[in-house]
Each structure stands twice: as structure tokens, then as C-alpha cells.
């Protein structure tokens, strides 16, 4: 059984619905929505949804006008047509065979995962919980006018808009293997939102953005920070960069709310990226964020090995609730969820990349540049709150 849950004073919300699994990108598409059901099953097997202070919340759809707060009307109409298989011409607004296919219920799926992220934001705004987790959220690539990178509606942007619109100062932290481009560009001129993204170097992976020189524009100058990582980056190298960047930025910006995208396509055996992180690196990040004690909207994100996703986000949810889980996977899920190490373990073994030294040198150079040319600017700008 789990050990050591936090007191009832630390309330958390897990926003989920079985309706997520009514949708399917297609049999050959790498984003498999079954990963969400597997995560919930593993959380339930560990008793993590029945802890004191935990609320399980049925996800509800967003209203169309909430989507239109960011996305254009012509794009929303294209999503509706694509959802019914009536979109004429491939790649209108980025929709077509490949990354962003048409599938039955595409629009309803988008409303549902976005509604869940808005529910997380609302529960934080209402003071009903300290942390809210939508594992279906974090679809961070969609632009206002087009689909991109498996993402049709940008739920992180819409949730952050809700928070910032209510006067909250938001730190958005993205640790997906792919740069959080859609969120960065949405707030590139907005000093109410500090975006920080750790990702595989855009010269080696979609979407090709996330350079250290992308630091914001006009009123938002200094409020965009990017930490590219070389292929082969492992937990130790990643954590070196994280410690150098995130604590000082958090201290100077002093956010009212933190929104995170917890993509786990950074893991060493994920099929779409070339990083070598493990559950150990993720757990360090989640523990750091929990210990900050800030109101926190946690979102899912990338992750294309479904077993990795289930184990990683279960560990994240346990840490959010102050629970130390046993090493072995529960009997109820063995054979259905592949574990780390011997195949029955919840956590991955420690791992050092064969490319560690090269990646460490690159990270040192990145941190040196950021500490010299980017962080001082971000810290100066973060010190005075923008007018609301």
C-alpha cells in the first residue's frame, strides 16, 4: 500500500473521464489515447484515487466560445467539418493524413480535453484545491489557426488565458521532448506569463523552434526562456540545467499559479525522440514543484510508449499527494503494463547515457549563455509585476 499521504489540507483533483477513450487518432498513429485509461488504472490499483484530500472529477466539455478565445472562427469551423469527415482538401488548417488526421469526433475530443484543463484552472481559481491534474491535457503545439504536432486545440493556452484573465501571474513550465511552441508564441508579448521550455534541440526534432534567442517581444521581452538539450541527454544533464534555470526564475517571477506540461517522450525508449531521461528525472521535477507549495495546474503531454506514460504519470500523481509508492507494480496490472528494470518495477533504474559527456558540455554552454544573457533580463523583468 502507498505510504505517507499529505494531510487533508493539501487537496488535489484528478480530472478524468472514460469518454476520452471514445476517440482514436487511428491504428497507426503514435498518440494512443489508451495511455490515459492505463494511467488511471494504475493510479487506482495503487489506491491513489481514494486518498484523503483527493477529488476525482468527471471531465466536462469546453464551450465553443472558450475555444474561440484563442482559436480563429475559420479554424474552429474546419475542426467541426473534419470531425464529421467533411473537410474538403487535405491540410486545410494543417489537418490531413499524417500528424493531424481527420477522425470521427475530433472536435468533441478537443472540447473534452480542453474542458478538463479549464476545470483544473477553475478549481485553482476557486481555491478548491492546491493541485489539479488533467492527464489528457498538454496539447501544446496547436496554433490559433491550424493544427500541429497531434494537437488541434491548445488547451494549455486556453487554461492560462483563464488564469491570467483573472489577474493571476502564470509560470508555464514545459518538459516535453518537443518545444512548447504554441504556448510560447501565444504569450510571446505578454508579461503576465513566463514560459520556460526544456526540449530536444530544435535542429534535431520537430517543431524546430525553441532557440535560446527566443526571449519574448515588446512587453513580453524576457518572459520566454528556452533550454535546448542535445540528443542523448540523460537525467543528470537535464537536472543540472533545471536547477540552474528554474529555481531562480521562479523566485524572481513569483508566480501566483504554475502550469506544467509533463510530457514523457523524453524517456530513453520513447519512439519519437532521442533523449535518455527516465522516471527518476521526472520525479525530481515533480517533487520540486510540489515542494514550492504554489497552486498548480498539471497537464499531460507527449509520451508514445504507453507503459512509460502510465508509470510516469502515476508516479507524478503519487508525488503530488506526498505518497511513496512501492517498487513493484501491483499484481492487478502485471502483464498489462510493462515495468522498468526487470519488467515488474514501477521506477526505471538509474541510467547514464553513452553520450553523457557531449551532452553535459552542451548543457554547460547553454546554462552559461542563459545565465549571462537571458536570466538576468528575465529576472529584472520578473521583479516588477505588470499592471493588470
Amino acid at each position: 500500500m502507498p505510504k505517507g499521504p499529505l494531510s487533508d489540507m493539501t487537496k488535489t483533483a484528478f480530472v478524468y473521464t472514460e469518454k476520452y477513450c471514445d476517440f482514436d487518432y487511428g491504428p497507426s498513429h503514435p498518440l494512443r489515447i489508451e495511455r490515459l485509461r492505463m494511467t488511471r488504472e494504475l493510479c487506482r490499483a495503487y489506491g491513489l484515487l481514494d486518498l484523503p484530500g483527493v477529488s476525482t472529477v468527471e471531465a466536462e466539455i469546453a464551450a465553443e466560445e472558450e475555444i474561440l478565445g484563442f482559436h480563429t472562427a475559420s479554424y474552429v469551423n474546419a475542426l467541426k467539418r473534419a470531425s464529421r469527415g467533411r473537410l474538403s482538401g487535405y491540410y486545410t488548417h494543417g489537418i490531413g493524413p499524417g500528424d493531424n488526421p481527420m477522425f470521427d469526433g475530433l472536435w468533441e475530443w478537443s472540447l473534452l480535453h480542453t474542458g478538463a484543463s479549464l476545470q483544473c484552472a477553475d478549481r485553482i481559481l476557486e481555491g478548491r484545491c492546491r493541485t489539479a491534474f488533467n492527464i489528457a491535457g498538454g496539447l501544446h503545439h496547436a496554433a490559433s489557426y491550424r493544427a500541429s504536432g497531434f494537437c488541434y486545440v491548445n488547451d494549455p493556452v486556453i487554461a492560462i488565458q483563464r488564469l491570467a484573465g483573472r489577474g493571476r501571474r502564470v509560470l508555464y513550465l514545459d518538459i516535453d521532448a518537443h518545444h512548447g511552441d504554441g504556448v510560447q508564441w501565444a504569450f510571446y508579448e505578454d508579461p503576465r506569463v513566463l514560459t520556460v521550455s526544456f526540449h530536444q534541440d530544435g535542429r534535431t526534432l520537430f517543431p524546430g523552434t525553441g532557440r535560446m534567442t527566443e526571449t519574448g517581444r515588446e512587453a513580453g521581452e524576457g518572459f520566454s526562456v528556452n533550454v535546448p538539450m542535445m540528443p542523448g541527454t540523460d537525467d543528470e544533464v537535464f537536472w543540472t540545467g533545471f536547477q540552474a534555470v528554474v529555481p531562480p526564475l521562479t523566485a524572481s517571477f513569483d508566480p501566483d499559479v504554475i502550469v506544467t506540461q509533463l510530457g514523457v517522450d523524453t524517456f530513453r525508449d520513447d519512439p519519437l525522440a532521442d533523449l535518455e531521461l527516465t522516471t527518476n528525472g521526472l520525479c525530481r521535477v515533480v517533487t520540486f514543484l510540489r515542494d514550492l507549495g504554489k497552486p498548480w495546474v498539471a497537464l499531460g503531454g507527449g509520451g508514445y510508449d504507453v507503459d512509460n506514460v502510465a508509470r510516469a504519470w502515476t508516479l507524478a500523481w503519487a508525488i503530488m499527494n506526498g505518497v511513496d509508492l512501492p517498487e513493484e507494480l501491483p499484481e492487478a496490472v502485471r502483464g498489462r503494463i510493462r515495468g522498468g528494470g526487470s519488467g515488474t518495477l514501477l521506477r526505471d533504474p538509474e541510467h547514464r547515457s553513452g553520450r553523457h559527456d557531449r551532452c553535459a558540455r552542451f548543457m554547460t554552454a547553454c546554462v552559461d549563455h542563459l545565465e549571462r544573457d537571458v536570466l538576468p533580463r528575465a529576472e529584472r523583468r520578473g521583479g516588477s509585476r505588470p499592471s493588470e
Side-chain angles (χ1 to χ4, degrees), residues 146-212:
R146 66 181 286 116
S148 178
F150 315 161
C151 307
Y152 301 93
V153 169
N154 198 314
D155 65 279
V157 166
I158 293 170
I160 292 169
Q161 285 180 326
R162 175 70 57 85
L163 295 163
R166 302 286 176 85
R168 302 308 194 270
R169 190 169 164 96
V170 180
L171 167 61
Y172 173 74
L173 174 64
D174 191 317
I175 61 169
D176 195 276
H178 303 85
H179 176 233
D181 57 333
V183 183
Q184 173 181 288
W185 302 129
F187 299 105
Y188 207 56
E189 299 178 3
D190 192 336
R192 300 172 301 171
V193 181
L194 171 63
T195 63
V196 181
S197 179
F198 288 77
H199 48 269
Q200 186 172 320
D201 192 299
R203 294 171 295 181
T204 68
L205 190 69
F206 173 90
T209 52
R211 295 180 297 276
M212 288 184 287

Side-chain angles (χ1 to χ4, degrees), residues 131 133 171-177 196-199 227 229 233-247 250 258-264 266-267 277-294 296-300 312-313 315-321 350 363:
T131 300
F133 194 10
L171 167 61
Y172 173 74
L173 174 64
D174 191 317
I175 61 169
D176 195 276
V196 181
S197 179
F198 288 77
H199 48 269
V227 187
M229 300 182 289
T233 294
D234 56 23
D235 292 324
E236 181 181 338
V237 173
F238 163 72
W239 188 240
T240 296
F242 188 95
Q243 287 182 301
V245 170
V246 177
T250 304
I258 296 174
V259 177
T260 57
Q261 201 268 22
L262 300 176
V264 293
T266 53
F267 284 15
L277 275 65
T278 70
T279 57
N280 302 295
L282 175 75
C283 289
R284 285 180 174 179
V285 171
V286 176
T287 300
F288 169 84
L289 293 165
R290 182 202 65 196
D291 291 348
L292 284 175
K294 296 276 189 179
W296 179 11
V297 172
L299 306 174
W313 290 347
L315 278 164
W317 179 242
I319 293 168
M320 291 173 196
N321 288 282
E350 295 287 345
M363 180 60 76

